[in-house]
Amino acid sequence: MVTKHTSALTLQVLGNAKAAVAAVVSVLIFRNPVTVMGMAGFAVTIMGVVLYSEAKKRCKVTTH
């Protein structure tokens, strides 16, 4: 039902964002070590979520 109201891509992007946030919270709470590669992965994931959100907003503005 959620996929019907959004899209499969939106759900995938949200799942990636959730995983990145969970990893950051894990680092903050449990002091898990983070590599440079891990930090780069977090950054790329968050940038992708922001870019997708902006693209979706712009698409809605142009279609309405």
Side-chain angles (χ1 to χ4, degrees), residues 7-56:
S7 72
L9 179 59
T10 298
L11 292 177
Q12 186 65 40
V13 170
L14 290 175
N16 289 342
K18 180 179 134 184
V21 169
V24 169
V25 169
S26 170
V27 168
L28 294 175
I29 292 175
F30 301 114
R31 303 287 183 211
N32 293 334
V34 182
T35 64
V36 174
M37 185 70 80
M39 286 188 276
F42 296 145
V44 168
T45 300
I46 298 304
M47 285 186 336
V49 170
V50 170
L51 290 172
Y52 177 76
S53 298
E54 289 300 315
K56 196 160 184 169

Side-chain angles (χ1 to χ4, degrees), residues 49-64:
V49 170
V50 170
L51 290 172
Y52 177 76
S53 298
E54 289 300 315
K56 196 160 184 169
K57 284 181 197 174
R58 289 180 186 191
C59 183
K60 281 185 180 181
V61 169
T62 59
T63 58
H64 285 101

